[in-house]
Amino acid sequence: MTEIRSYRRVFDLERRVYSIDSLRLNPGGVPVRGIVYLLAILACALVAAQLPLIGLAVRTLPWYLRDLALPVALASVLSLLRVDGRTFHLTARSLILYWSGPRRLARLQRSAPAGFIWRPEPIVLLPDGSDGRLRRLRYRGPGAVLVMCEHERVCAPVVGVGRWGGSGLLLRANGWGNPLNEGKVIVLARRGQLRVQGAQVGRSRG
Amino acid sequence: MRAPIDFVYGNCVFAAGAQDCWAAFVVESATYTWLSDEAKRSRLLSLMGALEALEADVQILRVSRRWPAHVYAEEMSDPQTLASAAQARAGTRRSYLDAHRQRLEELDAVTPVVFLLVSLREPERDIASYVSQAIGRGPWEWWKEVRRALSLHDRRLLSADELERARVAADQVHARLEDYLPVRPARGVELQWLIRRGFCRGCGEPLVDGLHQPRALAFERNGEAVLAPLEGDVMRWTDYQVEHRGRSLRVESECGVSWQAQLVMGALPERLQFPGARAELMFAAPEGLPFGIDLSLNARYLPNELALRIARRRIQDADQIVRAESDGEQGVSDLGYERTQEARDLLAYLQASSKPPLLRSTIAIAIGASSEEELEARVERCRRAYGEVHLHRPLGDQLQMFIQHLPAQRTRVAGYDDTLTSEQVAAMMPSASHAVGSRTGFYLGYTLSGSRQPVRFNLREGSDRDRNATILSVGALGSGKTTLAQKLQYEAFLQGARVIDCDPKGDHRFHLLEEVAPHVECVALRPDPALRGMLDPLRVAPAHLAQDAAVSFLRDLLPGRAAPAWETAVVGAVDRVMRRASEPTCLEVVRALKEGDETDVQVGKALEVYARSGLTQLGFADPAVKLAPVGRQAVTYLPIRDLPGPQPGMRRSEYSQSERVGEQIVRLIAMFAMHLMSAERDRLKLFSFDEGWRLLSDPIGRALLASLQRMGRSELAVPIISTQLVADGMIGERESLENLVGATFVFGMRSESEAARALALLDLDPADVRKRRYLLELEAGRCLFRDHTGRVEAIQVDLVVPALIGALSTTPVS
């Protein structure tokens, strides 16, 4: 037989404050978690006191009850409380997420309410050049571009292209952008940029 | 909510984006309960070794797969796999299989499937380790990290390089794991099943055709091949309606409405003994339940250096608490004192030369049922099964815990993690099971575990897998070994096999079954002149054994104090007859002796007496007399009552004449069976023999069995040897038995010594009192089964069909 040990108690220790300076708090110490709860309750009480209706009720309580006795009592109770084997703040977090989250899910996503009609997002269509006009596009090299319509080339800085912008080639339709007998090939070096200015209407191919 | 899984590529599962890739493996589960303590410890060390060698976050999923009863019925009635003789019995076979299917559905059994998922991401470390690692990497790696962190691109995009790196890393993990565990990379279809079955938990199995694989859109970006995984493809696998009801989930699945509860384990016991059910949390409790549950262990790997730092901090904390307590009026508490000691023990453990890590783990249990009431009952049973380990059912976290059971997930619920040693995790034995028996073949029975796993048995397994074909069945009177033998005979008959049933006690009923009777030929071996020569060794023994068998037979018939010259005369006569006669027989040998010198004549006269009387006349064939042909029917029933035999354990030199004759007759029967079985090479043949200790405790009997064995491998012959006694000779010769016996069934025993010998036969510890008592308490029909691969499990032999139970019972009904 082999004995297998668990070191759970080493990791499962609760931090407690036994004394502040030379002042002893209590024989068993005060859990740090309880102090945090107390501070959180006090903060909540302060906020609640400022709220229109609740504040009225809170302000009717005497200060020693509102700012001392009740928060201390509540923090003590909460620090003792264990729900489903967990401390209060972990349980509270789960419950808040549960209550605020969706109850019905489809594909593990929030399920749409009854009667909801799904409409797709705008669909992006990439042209293959067979339509009747020069489309607006940006292309970054390396690569080659075949231009099949009348066009004008401008060597100009292309703003907003690439990581820092930079110089590139601007291509725009010339006149009606009539088709060329022979296509022109533009070879782009690495990081070379081509910007095509789209034509409004035309029969050209690009 | 973000989709829990983005993409699946081979056995790489991308959970939260490209940077969170896991490699999925299937761990082969293996039988465990009846292993020796040493073997169990070895299993523990293997698992520990694997966990430590991985150096990564891991997720162990032990899920239940419903035993496919319908697949069994379809597979067994596939006409392509049946012999022509079996097709003639298709009707009987179909009704038999229907009964099996019905029983298997009643059992509603599940088998465990174990997945091990290993994160390919570096485990999270403390800041010091992180900085020292970063320094080692260099500026280019830093720059890439920064770019990745600040990248505005969609993080789900995956470059081809990254995908390739993940695949290589998964292969490396596989290589590391293979040194310790029997694992293989999980297939896409298995991962799909693993995800989809979570939604059908407690209702059935999803229909996974394996045709659908997640795809990705491949394109080029800045000269680099990039993949955008089509999220919808994996999402399709989770396309179910889930309703979160606080402490339970209601899932509308393809198998019906599944009600599910997710539990999580609380504090584990402080000290445990291994091996022991309390330590084997992922095996003992789930296997003790009559329904399937799923377990998930999600562990974060804490490398040794980080674990050491944590341990040192804990020592300081523990000491501080003790100091504070000692300042108080009540002094130091026992808990406080013990904690300081434990913290130091932990430090010592972590400072060992093996530099063990720690695993921050959460163990979750998922239970499914088809109704809310059933779910509550199952949760209650599960809690009882875990006893001292408290199972929490966190309110509001059911959905998160459900997702935690999906592959490639980390702990999603805070507050239940426990820092465990690799030893603790390994001791949970996630890969242990009750797997035993064959992958194919008829349903034999079920394991005597809470999960009652069906056991199949394939009579052809010995020859199919090139292992020993002989089946040995041992047990006290009325323990069920004859019933088992008859069940196997019946199934062999349904498979179209040739069955030879030798029945020395006359209590077999298989040949009387309505569907079997028309195919039976009964050859009652009795002192009848009409059967004279039926067992003549020169006729029935295999050619290579014939001369020795005849000499042995004739020599044993001679008086005990016969002169050595008599034995020489027998040997010479057998030799002469074999050389001169075209069809030699033992009666020819007697005649040859009578033609010889004076000594030969005396020997001939002595043997002639045996050739004319008693059972021994079965061994003397007259070449002029033609016997009725035997072996024309599918079943040959050979009853032989009152066969004289020695007391078990008696020395051979002390045998009386009649006992020697009895022994010879047993050998002749074995040879006769071999003779009958050698007729059809490609047909399955079954030879069932009761009182098998007579064969096994005798060297010549074992030699015969070895011949049968060889025949079994090459000619599909399966000897079933049943015996109620485990003779010392059998145990003493266990090594030679190892080469003879394929599968062994040990039924209930009546004495401690018999039980000890039976355990030795199974290669278990005969000194183990608990196991001996178990054998003594076994009820009829229950046995320890050692299959062809050496796995041992306690099973209940299940005849299933009520009519068959009544017909094959050897207990007289008043």
Side-chain angles (χ1 to χ4, degrees):
Chain A
M1 286 282 187
T2 311
E3 189 183 70
I4 293 177
R5 285 189 65 177
S6 162
Y7 296 98
R8 186 180 58 83
R9 282 195 294 199
V10 177
F11 295 96
D12 199 21
L13 53 87
E14 189 177 44
R15 290 175 193 281
R16 284 171 175 262
V17 179
Y18 292 86
S19 58
I20 297 171
D21 204 6
S22 60
L23 174 69
R24 283 199 62 80
L25 294 175
N26 78 9
V30 175
V32 174
R33 192 158 47 87
I35 296 169
V36 176
Y37 288 160
L38 176 66
L39 295 174
I41 292 163
L42 283 174
C44 289
L46 278 174
V47 173
Q50 306 306 315
L51 295 173
L53 276 173
I54 304 166
L56 206 65
V58 170
R59 280 196 298 271
T60 55
L61 292 171
W63 71 268
Y64 51 87
L65 265 184
R66 186 184 63 211
D67 298 336
L68 196 68
L70 279 178
V72 168
L74 194 57
S76 308
V77 170
L78 294 184
S79 59
L80 290 174
L81 204 67
R82 288 188 90 84
V83 184
D84 296 326
R86 285 189 294 182
T87 51
F88 168 76
H89 62 279
L90 291 173
T91 309
R93 180 180 163 272
S94 291
L95 289 178
I96 291 166
L97 288 173
Y98 169 57
W99 284 324
S100 60
R103 298 292 167 88
R104 290 188 70 88
L105 298 103
R107 298 177 300 279
L108 296 178
Q109 307 292 312
R110 183 186 288 270
S111 178
F116 173 82
I117 300 166
W118 178 79
R119 288 191 178 81
E121 296 279 312
I123 298 168
V124 178
L125 297 173
L126 296 176
D128 65 351
S130 59
D131 55 347
R133 64 195 173 97
L134 205 61
R135 283 182 181 269
R136 185 165 168 263
L137 65 89
R138 283 190 306 202
Y139 179 75
R140 190 160 164 224
V145 179
L146 175 68
V147 190
M148 296 291 292
C149 61
E150 283 181 0
H151 61 277
E152 182 186 357
R153 297 180 198 180
V154 181
C155 221
V158 182
V159 181
V161 178
R163 207 172 300 132
W164 299 286
S167 64
L169 188 67
L170 180 70
L171 207 80
R172 54 175 170 239
N174 197 357
W176 288 102
N178 293 326
L180 295 173
N181 289 334
E182 271 187 26
K184 302 281 182 196
V185 176
I186 301 169
V187 178
L188 289 162
R190 186 171 169 75
R191 292 174 187 269
Q193 293 148 25
L194 174 75
R195 188 173 161 202
V196 180
Q197 224 170 46
Q200 289 302 314
V201 188
R203 293 163 291 157
S204 36
R205 301 182 68 189
Chain B
M1 188 188 291
R2 201 184 187 293
I5 299 168
D6 277 349
F7 187 46
V8 175
Y9 173 71
N11 71 325
C12 297
V13 185
F14 293 87
Q19 303 308 313
D20 191 15
C21 181
W22 296 66
F25 301 94
V26 177
V27 185
E28 195 181 309
S29 62
T31 188
Y32 176 78
T33 312
W34 290 89
L35 292 181
S36 64
D37 284 2
E38 205 174 316
K40 286 180 178 175
R41 259 194 297 277
S42 150
R43 195 74 76 76
L44 172 89
L45 292 175
S46 301
L47 205 50
M48 266 175 73
L51 290 169
E52 291 178 8
L54 284 173
E55 295 185 10
D57 297 351
V58 292
Q59 183 189 21
I60 302 173
L61 291 170
R62 183 188 166 107
V63 296
S64 309
R65 187 200 295 267
R66 191 168 278 195
W67 209 87
H70 63 285
V71 175
Y72 162 79
E74 280 167 22
E75 185 190 301
M76 292 302 292
S77 48
D78 182 2
Q80 288 183 342
T81 60
L82 297 180
S84 56
Q87 281 173 5
R89 288 158 210 152
T92 316
R93 189 185 165 100
R94 201 176 306 117
S95 57
Y96 188 61
L97 284 171
D98 280 346
H100 275 190
R101 188 175 46 76
Q102 212 171 331
R103 168 56 59 90
L104 289 165
E105 279 168 2
E106 279 167 21
L107 281 178
D108 194 20
V110 292
T111 48
V113 186
V114 183
F115 288 87
L116 174 64
L117 290 111
V118 184
S119 173
L120 301 180
R121 199 165 76 181
E122 278 283 303
E124 287 170 23
R125 293 164 195 266
D126 61 345
I127 293 171
S129 315
Y130 189 78
V131 171
S132 51
Q133 267 204 343
I135 290 169
R137 279 184 186 167
W140 178 242
E141 289 291 325
W142 302 348
W143 172 238
K144 274 166 71 174
E145 286 288 325
V146 171
R147 264 182 64 184
R148 192 176 295 137
L150 301 177
S151 170
L152 295 176
H153 293 126
D154 191 342
R155 288 183 187 209
R156 280 171 299 190
L157 293 187
L158 193 66
S159 74
D161 280 358
E162 280 173 324
L163 193 67
E164 188 55 24
R165 266 204 300 274
R167 204 187 56 76
V168 170
D171 286 348
Q172 284 168 349
V173 170
H174 184 204
R176 239 179 292 165
L177 270 177
E178 254 187 338
D179 292 342
Y180 300 95
L181 296 175
V183 293
R184 62 171 173 79
R187 293 191 294 267
V189 67
E190 288 169 322
L191 291 166
Q192 184 185 352
W193 172 80
L194 183 60
I195 294 169
R196 286 177 56 191
R197 65 162 303 285
F199 294 88
C200 308
R201 201 171 274 139
C203 283
E205 291 291 323
L207 199 65
V208 181
D209 55 17
L211 298 173
H212 177 250
Q213 291 286 342
R215 292 158 305 165
L217 186 69
F219 60 95
E220 192 186 325
R221 191 178 69 185
N222 297 341
E224 189 182 31
V226 176
L227 292 105
L230 298 181
E231 209 175 50
D233 272 1
V234 180
M235 218 178 239
R236 266 176 68 180
W237 297 348
T238 61
D239 196 4
Y240 300 89
Q241 292 277 344
V242 180
E243 190 182 340
H244 193 182
R245 295 194 167 196
R247 288 203 193 269
S248 62
L249 297 175
R250 182 182 179 278
V251 186
E252 286 173 24
S253 74
E254 64 200 80
C255 304
V257 175
S258 162
W259 290 87
Q260 301 190 16
Q262 316 289 328
L263 310 179
V264 61
M265 273 189 212
L268 302 183
E270 294 294 324
R271 281 169 196 269
L272 296 164
Q273 296 295 326
F274 180 86
R278 286 176 72 220
E280 293 148 11
L281 290 171
M282 291 183 87
F283 165 65
E287 287 291 325
L289 291 166
F291 51 87
I293 59 170
D294 299 342
L295 289 112
S296 163
L297 184 141
N298 305 64
R300 190 193 142 197
Y301 181 85
L302 304 178
N304 181 261
E305 59 269 33
L306 175 58
L308 275 171
R309 280 192 199 105
I310 294 172
R312 286 196 183 104
R313 276 206 298 270
R314 291 296 181 228
I315 289 175
Q316 288 168 8
D317 291 341
D319 288 352
Q320 196 183 358
I321 290 170
V322 167
R323 268 198 305 276
E325 282 180 349
S326 65
D327 288 346
E329 290 164 7
Q330 294 168 339
V332 179
S333 66
D334 288 347
L335 176 65
Y337 176 73
E338 281 169 15
R339 190 187 284 131
T340 57
Q341 294 305 309
E342 278 185 17
R344 281 167 175 78
D345 290 348
L346 173 65
L347 187 68
Y349 166 80
L350 293 169
Q351 282 172 332
S353 57
S354 60
K355 295 190 179 298
L358 291 175
L359 296 159
R360 192 161 287 165
S361 319
T362 310
I363 307 160
I365 298 170
I367 305 172
S370 53
S371 72
E372 203 170 4
E373 296 74 34
E374 192 187 359
L375 176 71
E376 295 309 318
R378 285 187 172 189
V379 168
E380 206 39 54
R381 278 197 82 156
C382 189
R383 280 187 163 145
R384 276 207 299 274
Y386 273 96
E388 64 185 325
V389 179
H390 198 87
L391 299 182
H392 303 289
R393 191 173 171 181
L395 176 67
D397 276 327
Q398 295 290 304
L399 185 67
Q400 293 302 322
M401 293 195 60
F402 173 87
I403 296 171
Q404 196 170 303
H405 277 89
L406 296 179
Q409 303 301 312
R410 291 192 162 77
T411 301
R412 283 180 165 248
V413 179
Y416 296 111
D417 55 345
D418 201 348
T419 309
L420 307 177
T421 59
S422 52
E423 204 176 26
Q424 274 180 288
V425 175
M428 291 179 191
M429 280 297 142
S431 62
S433 73
H434 289 287
V436 74
S438 316
R439 283 181 191 276
T440 56
F442 278 103
Y443 163 67
L444 175 69
Y446 52 83
T447 59
L448 291 176
S449 56
S451 58
R452 300 207 297 178
Q453 293 193 12
V455 179
R456 293 173 76 174
F457 189 71
N458 183 7
L459 286 166
R460 302 168 64 126
E461 184 159 6
S463 46
D464 285 355
R465 299 179 67 171
D466 205 20
R467 290 174 187 270
N468 300 334
T470 306
I471 298 163
L472 176 64
S473 170
V474 184
L477 271 176
S479 59
K481 54 188 189 309
T482 307
T483 310
L484 168 75
Q486 293 185 91
K487 175 183 161 69
L488 296 179
Q489 285 169 22
Y490 183 69
E491 287 168 359
F493 171 75
L494 292 182
Q495 282 176 282
R498 174 99 182 73
V499 180
I500 297 153
D501 182 14
C502 182
D503 180 13
K505 288 185 284 183
D507 60 353
H508 292 190
R509 298 284 176 272
F510 161 67
H511 61 288
L512 300 175
L513 290 173
E514 198 181 324
E515 56 272 35
V516 179
H519 305 279
V520 175
E521 60 184 353
C522 181
V523 183
L525 298 174
R526 57 182 187 274
D528 183 353
L531 298 174
R532 189 174 292 157
M534 176 75 75
L535 304 180
D536 191 315
L538 289 175
R539 275 189 174 171
V540 298
H544 67 284
L545 283 176
Q547 189 163 359
D548 289 345
V551 169
S552 169
F553 170 63
L554 295 171
R555 199 174 48 198
D556 273 7
L557 296 180
L558 297 177
R561 294 187 180 182
W566 283 38
E567 290 189 15
T568 316
V570 169
V571 174
V574 171
D575 187 48
R576 279 199 305 279
V577 169
M578 286 197 74
R579 271 192 278 134
R580 77 178 181 208
S582 57
E583 282 186 21
T585 67
C586 283
L587 196 62
E588 284 287 290
V589 175
V590 174
R591 284 173 187 160
L593 282 165
K594 287 175 80 178
E595 288 165 6
D597 61 14
E598 196 182 335
T599 311
D600 287 0
V601 172
Q602 276 185 324
V603 175
K605 277 183 180 172
L607 289 176
E608 197 173 23
V609 177
Y610 291 104
R612 304 274 171 224
S613 61
L615 272 174
T616 50
Q617 65 183 301
L618 301 177
F620 292 89
D622 187 342
V625 178
K626 287 281 174 197
L627 291 170
V630 180
R632 297 263 172 102
Q633 294 284 358
V635 179
T636 305
Y637 177 57
L638 301 171
I640 177 163
R641 301 203 75 160
D642 306 322
L643 186 68
Q647 286 297 313
M650 185 191 276
R651 285 184 189 170
R652 216 168 163 274
S653 56
E654 294 168 5
Y655 284 9
S656 69
Q657 180 68 13
S658 63
E659 286 162 353
R660 282 211 304 273
V661 168
E663 191 185 31
Q664 285 301 332
I665 298 291
V666 167
R667 290 179 195 166
L668 292 182
I669 292 170
M671 285 188 271
F672 181 55
M674 283 170 75
H675 174 66
L676 290 178
M677 291 200 292
S678 59
E680 292 166 280
R681 190 184 163 85
D682 296 328
R683 187 177 180 186
L684 178 66
K685 284 142 320 231
L686 200 76
F687 168 51
S688 170
F689 187 78
D690 261 6
E691 301 292 308
W693 62 273
R694 292 187 185 204
L695 273 179
L696 291 169
S697 55
D698 163 31
I700 298 175
R702 277 206 290 270
L704 277 172
L705 208 55
S707 290
L708 263 173
Q709 178 80 333
R710 281 192 289 278
M711 187 188 242
R713 281 188 187 169
S714 58
E715 296 180 28
L716 285 175
V718 180
I720 302 179
I721 308 298
S722 307
T723 175
Q724 73 182 78
L725 299 158
V726 188
D728 284 332
M730 286 161 67
I731 304 304
E733 303 287 339
R734 219 189 67 75
E735 279 184 18
S736 66
L737 270 186
E738 283 274 319
N739 297 324
L740 286 180
V741 178
T744 309
F745 295 84
V746 173
F747 287 85
M749 293 287 163
R750 296 289 174 266
S751 75
E752 283 268 346
S753 55
E754 282 282 318
R757 282 199 286 255
L759 286 174
L761 200 63
L762 292 168
D763 205 12
L764 299 176
D765 180 12
D768 191 327
V769 181
R770 197 174 52 85
K771 286 178 182 150
R772 282 208 308 258
R773 197 170 301 140
Y774 189 90
L775 272 184
L776 292 172
E777 289 169 2
L778 272 180
E779 292 170 20
R782 296 182 164 191
C783 63
L784 288 186
F785 169 39
R786 186 173 195 260
D787 67 11
H788 284 91
T789 51
R791 299 176 296 181
V792 179
E793 272 300 326
I795 66 162
Q796 165 76 56
V797 175
D798 194 359
L799 280 182
V800 183
V801 186
L804 213 56
I805 298 170
L808 297 184
S809 172
T810 55
T811 312
V813 182
S814 56

